[in-house]
């Protein structure tokens, strides 16, 4: 039985950066998400403080750059800070050169935040390879004193029991002849019928039945002669984190199951055992960090061009989108910053009779901004009605319609707006265009939608690859003339048809459609498909009635919906 202090480490990353989300949330989209890392990290710090334990926090460099004060608070409270790389990537995703660059970038970001050089490293996902030592050599040459990336679980470690223990790795660099060494501090494992199995924390602690975990832990501690290594993620202390619906069922189980029980389970373990940081166990002391010298400023830099900006209004229909709005706000902020030199933007948010806290969230995020207008329908009218309401309240001739869930990237508007040249009344996003794309959308839904688009292309003047996306740029004076007979999703298609039949010119823009990440889709796919078939039948059998609607304007003063305007 081991009688000393055990080891505890904490993975400091936010809920949208972890492995189950990688398939649907690329790192380029991280800035769009609401950061919840502060509240979850402070919860972890308070939990450790209550029991008097000091831990090692493995921190993503990206978070150290974006939340330096939070990382500094971890160090200020007496915990050690180590690297989890800059971006959350597995070793298999990187070349050795990319692995080195990612490590050093994280070292700089964390060092700048805490004023200390880091001694430790943990790969963000999976393990480092044990069949060669090149990755460990890269770590040692970068000044890393220990690694904690090895998860010695499964068949690969049946014949490599040495990797289950704290051990020194060493070698000689072929190109220079210099010796290197570091210490490997793996996660803890037990055996069942000779098979190494996890005996640590994190997902393993959450997923196992509590009684079974405690019984296995007691048995393991009675037999071990080395410190037990417990770890957890700060986001596991945030049971109210947004649910990303686009990930797989297995990913949702891995991410969300038993989150509400994690704090209690950790609290009991921290009260029952004594823990310390990896650095304390190895006798490592903090070293000062020497920041890289800043690049000298370029003298005589050319001032930014003062070309006239294009004015545009972005219309956002919202129905029960409370969960998606922080993501939308961050995305729009990023888009506005990137295009501040060329676009002067204003916004109209239309709450289409939401039954959740969408209206309150809109006020919280946009209510005090002079460039934002909030409009509320007293009851749900449909996405087309909400879009038309937004267009009527727009300040500009150029109006952009987008989805609240950002299933089309609003950054693409920077390329779509210039396409609205004189004589063109609409720019239509087209995911089925040969240069467009679709990500994580079910194949059956794609098949139905593609076939409908093919039928429309045989009937309409504009022979596009797809027609139904809400992601568009409108000429306000043209779209405001039409009268819709359908206020829901079919109304979006009806807008296109009426412009097509009135002789307007529409441009197709290839874009990428991604599945919704947050919240629930409002589209009833099969119902919409039936409505499309009805519209196609009308186009074929009653073309005169469609042409007539295309040339009838809504009488002045006729409301689409009763509205509350802020």
């Amino acid at each position: 039985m081991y009688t000393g202090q055990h080891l505890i480490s904490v993975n400091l990353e936010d809920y949208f950066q972890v492995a189950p989300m990688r398939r649907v949330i690329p790192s380029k989209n991280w800035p769009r998400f609401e950061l919840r890392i502060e509240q979850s990290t402070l919860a972890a710090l308070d939990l450790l403080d209550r029991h008097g334990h000091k831990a090692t926090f493995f921190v993503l460099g990206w978070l150290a750059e974006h939340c330096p004060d939070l990382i500094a608070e971890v160090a200020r409270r007496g915990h050690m800070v180590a690297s989890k790389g800059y971006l959350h990537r597995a070793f298999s995703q990187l070349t050795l050169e990319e692995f080195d660059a990612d490590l050093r970038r994280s070292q700089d970001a964390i060092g700048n935040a805490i004023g200390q050089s880091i001694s430790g490293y943990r790969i963000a996902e999976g393990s480092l390879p044990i069949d060669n030592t090149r990755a460990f050599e890269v770590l040692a040459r970068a000044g890393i004193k220990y690694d904690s990336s090895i998860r010695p679980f499964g068949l690969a470690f049946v014949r490599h029991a040495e990797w289950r223990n704290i051990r020194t790795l060493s070698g000689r660099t072929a190109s220079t002849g210099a010796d290197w060494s570091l210490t490997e501090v793996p996660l803890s494992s037990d055996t069942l019928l000779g098979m190494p199995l996890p005996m640590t924390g994190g997902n393993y602690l959450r997923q196992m039945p509590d009684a079974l975990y405690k019984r296995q832990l007691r048995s393991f501690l009675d037999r071990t002669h080395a410190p037990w290594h417990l770890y957890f993620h700060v986001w596991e202390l945030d049971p109210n984190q947004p649910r990303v619906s686009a990930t797989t069922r297995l990913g949702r189980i891995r991410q969300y199951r038993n989150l509400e029980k994690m704090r209690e389970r950790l609290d009991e373990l921290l009260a029952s055992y004594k823990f310390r940081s990896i650095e304390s166990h190895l006798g490592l002391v903090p070293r000062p960090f020497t920041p890289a010298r800043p690049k000298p400023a370029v003298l005589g830099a050319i001032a930014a061009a003062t070309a006239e900006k294009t004015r545009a209004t972005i219309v956002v229909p919202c129905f029960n989108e409370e969960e998606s709005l922080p993501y939308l706000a961050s995305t729009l902020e990023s888009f506005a910053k990137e295009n501040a030199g060329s676009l002067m933007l204003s916004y109209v948010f239309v709450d289409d009779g939401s039954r959740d806290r969408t209206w309150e969230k809109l006020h919280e995020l946009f209510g005090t901004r002079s460039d934002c207008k909030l409009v509320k329908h007293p009851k749900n009218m449909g996405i087309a009605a909400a879009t038309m309401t937004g267009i009527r309240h727009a300040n500009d001739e150029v109006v952009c319609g987008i989805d609240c869930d950002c299933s089309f990237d609003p950054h693409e508007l920077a390329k779509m707006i210039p396409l609205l040249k004189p004589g063109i009344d609409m720019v239509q996003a087209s995911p089925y265009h040969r240069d467009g794309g679709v990500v994580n959308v079910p194949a059956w839904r794609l098949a139905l939608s593609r076939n409908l688009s093919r039928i429309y292309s045989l009937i309409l003047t504009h022979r596009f690859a797809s027609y139904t996306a809400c992601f568009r740029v409108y000429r306000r004076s043209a779209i405001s003339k039409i009268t819709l007979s359908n206020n829901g999703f079919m109304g979006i298609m009806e807008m296109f048809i009426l412009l097509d039949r009135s002789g307007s010119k529409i441009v197709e823009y290839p874009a990428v459609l991604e599945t919704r990440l947050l919240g629930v889709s409002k589209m009833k796919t099969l119902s919409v498909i039936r409505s499309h078939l009805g519209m196609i039948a009308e186009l074929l059998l009653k073309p005169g009635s469609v042409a007539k609607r295309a040339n009838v304007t809504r009488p002045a003063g006729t409301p689409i919906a009763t509205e509350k305007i802020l």
Side-chain angles (χ1 to χ4, degrees):
M1 177 185 293
Y2 179 76
T3 58
Q5 289 179 294
H6 299 292
L7 307 180
I8 185 166
S9 58
V10 183
N11 291 342
L12 199 156
E13 59 201 11
D14 219 334
Y15 71 98
F16 55 82
Q17 298 173 314
V18 297
M21 303 302 167
R22 177 161 49 85
R23 186 178 65 88
V24 295
I25 305 175
S27 57
K28 67 181 179 67
N29 288 352
W30 286 357
R32 305 182 191 179
F33 283 83
E34 175 190 18
L35 284 175
R36 299 176 63 88
I37 193 69
E38 180 174 352
Q39 64 190 62
S40 57
T41 300
L42 292 178
L45 291 173
D46 291 344
L47 187 61
L48 291 165
D49 285 352
R50 185 161 65 251
H51 296 284
H53 301 316
K54 301 303 179 186
T56 296
F57 280 72
F58 289 96
V59 176
L60 281 183
W62 187 92
L63 283 172
E65 277 191 359
H66 287 76
C67 309
D69 293 341
L70 178 64
I71 310 307
E73 174 67 8
V74 173
R76 188 190 67 77
R77 294 216 199 175
H79 303 281
M80 302 306 296
V81 179
S83 170
K84 208 166 188 275
Y86 185 82
L87 296 174
H88 200 286
R89 292 185 284 185
F91 184 76
S92 60
Q93 297 175 272
L94 305 165
T95 65
L96 209 60
E97 292 74 19
E98 290 170 336
F99 175 66
D100 186 28
D102 185 82
L103 164 67
R104 292 179 185 272
R105 189 177 180 187
S106 75
Q107 288 177 296
D108 289 342
I110 297 169
N112 283 324
I114 67 175
Q116 297 174 1
S117 293
I118 60 173
S119 299
Y121 177 82
R122 173 175 290 165
I123 192 71
E125 182 180 340
S127 292
L128 291 180
I130 62 173
D131 53 356
N132 68 67
T133 59
R134 295 184 68 190
F136 303 101
E137 179 183 344
V138 168
L139 295 174
R141 286 167 52 190
I144 296 298
K145 302 301 181 184
Y146 74 88
D147 173 69
S148 185
S149 299
I150 299 301
R151 302 165 183 260
F153 319 138
L155 286 171
F157 293 92
V158 171
R159 296 185 178 181
H160 294 284
E162 69 275 11
W163 286 97
R164 297 174 57 201
N165 303 310
I166 297 176
R167 60 195 293 255
T168 299
L169 306 175
S170 61
R172 177 168 293 178
T173 302
S175 59
T176 64
D179 294 330
W180 62 267
S181 68
L182 56 68
T183 302
E184 177 59 38
V185 185
L187 297 177
S188 293
S189 62
D190 200 355
T191 56
L192 178 64
L193 301 177
M195 174 74 73
L197 299 174
M199 189 63 260
T200 180
N203 194 46
Y204 311 107
L205 173 60
R206 278 193 295 115
Q207 302 296 345
M208 287 183 66
D210 191 40
L212 176 61
Y213 181 90
K214 290 175 181 176
R215 184 167 65 249
Q216 183 179 343
L217 176 60
R218 286 193 296 268
S219 174
F220 169 76
L221 293 178
D222 285 342
R223 292 179 281 108
T224 188
H225 298 285
W228 171 42
H229 189 168
L230 172 69
Y231 86 102
F232 65 94
H233 309 82
V234 295
W235 55 262
E236 291 179 296
L237 301 179
D238 181 16
N240 297 320
Q241 63 188 258
R243 266 45 178 178
V244 178
S245 55
T247 190
T248 63
R249 179 177 176 80
L250 179 61
R252 290 193 294 274
I253 292 173
R254 180 178 172 185
Q255 183 79 6
Y256 305 123
R257 185 171 182 269
N258 287 334
L259 282 179
E260 70 284 354
K261 299 178 181 179
M262 189 62 170
R263 190 180 304 235
E264 180 182 348
R265 291 185 178 184
L266 278 174
D267 193 51
E268 187 172 349
L269 291 174
L270 294 177
S272 302
Y273 304 96
K274 295 296 183 182
F275 296 94
R276 61 177 171 174
S277 69
I278 297 172
E279 288 82 356
S280 177
H281 180 79
L282 298 178
L284 299 173
V285 296
R287 298 166 292 152
F289 173 73
T290 303
R293 295 180 62 183
K295 295 180 180 179
V298 178
L299 298 178
I302 301 174
T306 57
E308 183 178 353
K309 298 181 181 181
T310 299
R311 298 180 62 93
T313 299
I314 296 179
V315 170
V316 189
C318 311
F319 176 60
N320 292 344
E321 294 287 0
E322 175 188 357
E323 201 169 8
S324 300
L325 287 174
Y327 180 82
L328 170 72
S330 298
T331 304
L332 292 178
E333 180 182 6
S334 170
F335 170 64
K337 285 182 177 179
E338 284 187 12
N339 298 279
S342 58
L343 296 175
M344 183 175 293
L345 299 170
S346 58
Y347 308 86
V348 179
F349 298 91
V350 182
D351 181 353
D352 189 26
S354 296
R355 294 187 291 270
D356 62 359
R357 295 187 65 258
T358 293
W359 185 241
E360 290 78 8
K361 199 69 176 178
L362 285 171
H363 276 268
E364 177 186 326
L365 294 170
F366 307 105
T368 61
R369 290 175 45 171
S370 60
D371 59 346
C372 295
K373 184 181 296 184
L374 309 185
V375 184
K376 182 177 178 64
H377 288 171
K379 64 178 181 179
N380 180 241
M381 302 291 293
I383 190 169
T387 299
M388 293 298 289
T389 293
I391 291 171
R392 293 205 333 272
H393 288 287
N395 298 323
D396 307 301
E397 177 70 350
V398 178
V399 181
C400 309
I402 72 170
D403 301 278
C404 191
D405 62 5
C406 297
S407 49
F408 287 95
D409 186 354
H411 291 76
E412 292 298 303
L413 292 174
K415 299 176 183 177
M416 294 173 68
I417 290 172
L419 298 179
L420 198 74
K421 300 180 183 299
I424 296 174
D425 291 332
M426 190 169 77
V427 181
Q428 172 72 58
S430 178
Y432 305 149
H433 188 281
R434 64 179 180 275
D435 296 324
V438 179
V439 179
N440 297 322
V441 175
W444 67 270
R445 178 178 162 186
L446 282 179
L448 289 173
S449 183
R450 285 181 186 274
N451 286 328
L452 282 173
S453 292
R454 292 189 183 103
I455 296 172
Y456 277 121
S457 70
L458 299 174
I459 301 171
L460 298 174
T461 303
H462 294 83
R463 302 188 182 281
F464 289 173
S466 53
Y467 301 88
T468 58
C470 303
F471 194 60
R472 294 169 171 175
V473 178
Y474 301 98
R475 186 171 302 282
R476 185 176 183 274
S477 57
I479 198 71
S480 62
K481 295 177 181 179
I482 67 175
T483 302
L484 297 180
S485 61
N486 191 305
N487 286 330
F489 284 100
M490 274 306 301
I492 299 297
M493 184 65 213
E494 191 179 6
M495 290 182 195
F496 191 104
I497 292 170
L498 296 181
L499 287 178
D500 178 87
R501 286 294 188 256
S502 68
S504 291
K505 187 172 182 180
I506 306 171
V507 172
E508 184 177 25
Y509 176 81
V512 175
L513 169 65
E514 299 185 50
T515 191
R516 166 187 282 269
L517 294 176
L518 300 168
V520 180
S521 174
K522 315 305 184 300
M523 180 182 290
K524 307 298 182 184
T525 302
L526 294 180
S527 175
V528 172
I529 293 294
R530 287 195 296 269
S531 297
H532 275 293
L533 294 176
M535 176 67 74
I536 290 169
E538 183 180 4
L539 285 168
L540 292 173
L541 302 176
K542 301 178 181 179
S545 65
V546 177
K548 183 178 180 181
R549 289 209 312 275
N551 293 293
V552 175
T553 60
R554 181 171 56 87
T558 303
I560 293 180
T562 305
E563 305 152 7
K564 178 179 179 180
I565 305 170
L566 177 68

